[in-house]
Amino acid sequence: MRGRTPRWRWIVAGGGALLAIAALGAALAWSAIFDSVLASQLALSPTSRSYQNWVAPSVPLYFEVYLFNWTNAEKFPLEKPNLVQLGPYRFREHRRHVNITWHPHNGSVSYRNFKSWVFDPTSNGTLQDNITTLNVIAASAVYRSRFWGFFQQKGLSMGLAMFGQHISVSKLARELLFEGYEDSLLELAKSLPPSTTGGAPPIDRFGWFYERNNSLDSDGFMEVTTGQVRGTLPGQIVRWNHDSRLPFYDGECSRLSGSVGEFLPRDLDEDSQLTMFIPELCRTVAMDYMESGEYADLMYHKYGISLTSFDNSSLSSDNACFCNGACAWGGVMNVSACRFGSPSFITLPHFLHGDPQLLDMVTGMQPDPEKHSFYFAVEPRLGIPLDVAARFQLNIYLEPNPNVALYEDVPRMLFPVFWVQQRVLIDHTATQELVMVRSILDWGATACAGAALAFAAIAAIATCFPKTKHKTDLTAEKLKEDELKLNPM
Ligand SMILES: *[C@@H]1O[C@H](CO)[C@@H](O)[C@H](O)[C@H]1NC(C)=O
Ligand SMILES: *[C@@H]1O[C@H](CO)[C@@H](O)[C@H](O)[C@H]1NC(C)=O
Ligand SMILES: *[C@@H]1O[C@H](CO)[C@@H](O)[C@H](O)[C@H]1NC(C)=O
Ligand SMILES: *[C@@H]1O[C@H](CO)[C@@H](O)[C@H](O)[C@H]1NC(C)=O
Ligand SMILES: *[C@@H]1O[C@H](CO)[C@@H](O)[C@H](O)[C@H]1NC(C)=O
Ligand SMILES: *[C@@H]1O[C@H](CO)[C@@H](O)[C@H](O)[C@H]1NC(C)=O
Ligand SMILES: *[C@@H]1O[C@H](CO)[C@@H](O)[C@H](O)[C@H]1NC(C)=O
């Protein structure tokens, strides 16, 4: 037996070496391993981890509306409109994906958004507030008549006078928002051919969010990727209302792409852009890096709508095809085409990042990047949004029309009507989970490297230990011999 290494030592040494190599491999490829596990966790399927929260988000959502009260309407157009912001009128929003259909062979899933809103008493104001605003029904009628002949325009002019239409209306907040109000022009529009109303379905009431509560139509029919195909992200728009292009624009602008807001790309850096598909804007918006910071122990990069992402061709030629004609002002999005030809224009609240001329046409706007920007603050490595502020303002385009008495002297301007805000902050539990995931990601490679070292040490000891033992055996025998020599008798 003496001088031979026992078999189990070889097994330990060999096993240790193999494990060391495996751990070393894991340390080197940690990032890729982590990403593939994460991707499989995030991919959408009826059984995946991300599914429950995707179907019905558990974070509380609030929809806040600020209405502009027009305090000097009777002096228009002699005085610039003075607008006083009222609100927020706050609504608790519940949303759910319904009519979910999986398309496994093309890696996508289609659904509709069901949304409902309940008025929240923490609002600054009540739904009974009496608010004066632009008469949008008349403004739309005049806008739609802009290519009509002289006699038709004169006819509209008389019609507006006969129906007692004014440039402004005073309505209660609840009527302006969800409940809607009746109007004689709406009655009239029902009897007109669809071509004169831009194909808009006839409605019996008008309100900005009329018939949106408990409806499936607020965001349209969406088809997004599931992320089950290797190397793709979940939640990226594929088709909208059964169409893989946007029918409202030409060329590059008709391209449908980007995240619908739930899943974002990973490994974002300062040169990355976030592309988001925003149904309210009927388009994809590219958001640029703004700044970095820290929120609840997590680092974030903030991406937002900047001067260029929302602009006309003067600053960013890519956007020219969104203008649909004259690129009117900077920082303005003409959404007329996707609102049945109504004169709707979207900007950031208080014309933030907008053309200075817009601000000059009204009084009462106080743009403030802190309160009015549109951004996503994202944990950059994992692509998880920590703080999202989605905000935009709806404006109505006005221009003079010499044949319509009511609109003879109006200036060419955008009239601000309301702005909305949806703010979502990551909650405490999710933050803690993220911190943990982040530390697994950050320290996993180090842990594997440590394990590799430990296994390597075991292997080394297992191979070297027998030799040492052999040597000690020899030494002991030699000592005995020496002893014998020292004590010959
Ligand atoms: C809106 O403005 C009008 C006219 O100045 C005023 O009478 C009304 O009280 C204002 N509404 C609210 C809710 O402050
Ligand atoms: C509430 O609304 C009033 C105007 O109606 C405004 O002066 C005030 O600043 C608002 N408060 C908050 C907290 O927004
Ligand atoms: C969509 O879902 C709603 C509510 O869940 C249901 O009432 C409706 O019949 C569904 N429509 C289709 C086409 O499946
Ligand atoms: C995916 O498959 C469904 C049918 O299962 C089809 O209706 C849909 O158009 C497909 N989408 C794409 C982008 O090919
Ligand atoms: C929306 O509908 C729900 C349920 O029918 C109702 O409780 C709620 O008050 C409605 N919200 C608004 C803003 O009208
Ligand atoms: C709102 O105020 C206007 C005058 O500012 C008034 O004519 C109208 O009757 C009021 N509406 C309601 C519902 O009180
Ligand atoms: C806005 O878009 C519509 C339809 O796409 C177009 O007809 C209109 O001229 C545009 N308005 C302005 C002011 O550019």
Side-chain angles (χ1 to χ4, degrees):
M1 283 314 256
R2 208 211 281 166
R4 272 186 57 200
T5 315
R7 214 220 233 113
W8 67 267
R9 287 190 208 283
W10 282 118
I11 294 173
V12 171
L18 281 180
L19 285 174
I21 291 167
L24 188 66
L28 294 177
W30 179 249
S31 202
I33 294 172
F34 183 89
D35 275 344
S36 96
V37 172
L38 188 65
S40 70
Q41 293 281 306
L42 289 181
L44 282 170
S45 79
T47 52
S48 74
R49 234 180 97 90
S50 57
Y51 180 73
Q52 280 313 324
N53 211 28
W54 176 76
V55 169
S58 56
V59 282
L61 298 174
Y62 289 94
F63 178 68
E64 297 178 325
V65 189
Y66 293 86
L67 291 161
F68 289 116
N69 192 15
W70 187 7
T71 56
N72 58 351
E74 68 287 352
K75 304 215 184 73
F76 187 75
L78 295 175
E79 267 181 29
K80 288 183 194 177
N82 180 50
L83 301 163
V84 176
Q85 171 180 306
L86 296 176
Y89 298 92
R90 188 175 286 126
F91 297 87
R92 177 84 156 83
E93 177 174 319
H94 296 271
R95 61 163 84 163
R96 223 168 48 227
H97 292 332
V98 296
N99 299 143
I100 297 169
T101 314
W102 302 91
H103 308 294
H105 51 278
N106 51 21
S108 65
V109 56
S110 57
Y111 60 87
R112 285 181 182 279
N113 279 333
F114 172 89
K115 291 187 181 174
S116 68
W117 291 272
V118 178
F119 183 73
D120 197 279
T122 60
S123 299
N124 183 18
T126 73
L127 290 177
Q128 312 304 326
D129 290 350
N130 189 348
I131 294 158
T132 305
T133 183
L134 184 74
N135 180 355
V136 176
I137 302 175
S140 297
V142 175
Y143 181 75
R144 286 204 174 104
S145 75
R146 67 198 187 287
F147 301 127
W148 294 2
F150 175 80
F151 290 106
Q152 282 124 313
Q153 291 196 348
K154 278 289 177 203
L156 175 70
S157 179
M158 277 175 349
L160 291 176
M162 216 162 70
F163 283 114
Q165 296 285 331
H166 297 287
I167 197 93
S168 68
V169 290
S170 291
K171 298 285 168 194
L172 303 185
R174 62 183 164 83
E175 295 175 315
L176 290 173
L177 298 176
F178 286 94
E179 212 169 86
Y181 56 91
E182 287 175 344
D183 193 281
S184 47
L185 276 189
L186 293 179
E187 284 302 312
L188 178 69
K190 279 194 209 164
S191 58
L192 293 177
S195 58
T196 52
T197 57
I203 43 169
D204 47 5
R205 299 173 81 83
F206 174 82
W208 291 109
F209 308 107
Y210 176 59
E211 287 192 330
R212 293 275 205 104
N213 193 19
N214 303 316
S215 118
L216 294 179
D217 293 325
S218 46
D219 291 343
F221 185 80
M222 318 276 270
E223 183 175 332
V224 303
T225 54
T226 56
Q228 283 175 319
V229 177
R230 261 186 85 85
T232 63
L233 280 174
Q236 310 294 302
I237 189 91
V238 181
R239 281 162 184 252
W240 189 47
N241 295 328
H242 306 283
D243 209 336
S244 56
R245 304 191 74 78
L246 292 168
F248 319 114
Y249 312 106
D250 295 323
E252 259 309 281
C253 294
S254 70
R255 226 167 62 103
L256 194 57
S257 66
S259 160
V260 295
E262 290 140 339
F263 298 95
L264 302 178
R266 293 189 282 278
D267 295 318
L268 293 164
D269 60 29
E270 292 168 19
D271 297 323
S272 313
Q273 275 191 328
L274 280 189
T275 54
M276 310 291 292
F277 175 71
I278 304 172
E280 286 84 355
L281 302 183
C282 316
R283 67 169 275 193
T284 298
V285 176
M287 297 200 278
D288 294 317
Y289 173 79
M290 292 162 82
E291 61 183 36
S292 297
E294 207 168 280
Y295 176 80
D297 296 336
L298 287 161
M299 214 274 264
Y300 68 76
H301 283 351
K302 195 186 257 189
Y303 298 85
I305 288 184
S306 65
L307 270 170
T308 53
S309 38
F310 218 34
D311 197 46
N312 61 22
S313 53
S314 61
L315 272 171
S316 124
S317 52
D318 301 346
N319 276 332
C321 48
F322 283 122
C323 296
N324 272 335
C327 284
W329 292 280
V332 171
M333 180 69 213
N334 179 355
V335 293
S336 178
C338 74
R339 305 275 161 101
F340 301 110
S342 69
S344 310
F345 284 70
I346 286 179
T347 61
L348 289 179
H350 291 245
F351 296 132
L352 179 69
H353 299 326
D355 195 312
Q357 215 190 343
L358 295 170
L359 278 172
D360 197 43
M361 302 300 290
V362 294
T363 53
M365 295 288 113
Q366 287 154 342
D368 175 356
E370 278 295 308
K371 293 182 192 153
H372 302 137
S373 54
F374 186 125
Y375 65 82
F376 272 67
V378 187
E379 201 293 315
R381 180 64 181 79
L382 303 170
I384 307 279
L386 306 178
D387 173 7
V388 175
R391 301 170 171 138
F392 53 80
Q393 174 169 310
L394 189 107
N395 312 276
I396 296 296
Y397 175 76
L398 299 182
E399 62 183 4
N401 185 329
N403 301 326
V404 179
L406 199 55
Y407 272 70
E408 229 167 2
D409 302 319
V410 307
R412 184 169 169 272
M413 67 179 294
L414 285 189
F415 195 101
V417 180
F418 67 89
W419 66 276
V420 295
Q421 147 163 295
Q422 201 147 32
R423 186 92 191 269
V424 186
L425 287 166
I426 190 168
D427 65 17
H428 185 67
T429 3
T431 313
Q432 296 208 311
E433 227 171 88
L434 260 191
V435 169
M436 201 182 71
V437 171
R438 221 16 257 244
S439 53
I440 293 174
L441 171 62
D442 293 341
W443 296 102
T446 317
C448 288
L453 271 181
F455 288 130
I458 291 171
I461 291 166
T463 26
C464 302
F465 190 51
K467 273 191 214 134
T468 340
K469 178 137 196 258
H470 192 61
K471 211 171 151 195
T472 27
D473 284 353
L474 278 179
T475 331
E477 266 157 43
K478 199 158 175 270
L479 272 177
K480 272 183 201 150
E481 272 169 35
D482 290 346
E483 258 170 61
L484 284 176
K485 274 179 199 158
L486 281 172
N487 310 299
M489 256 352 264

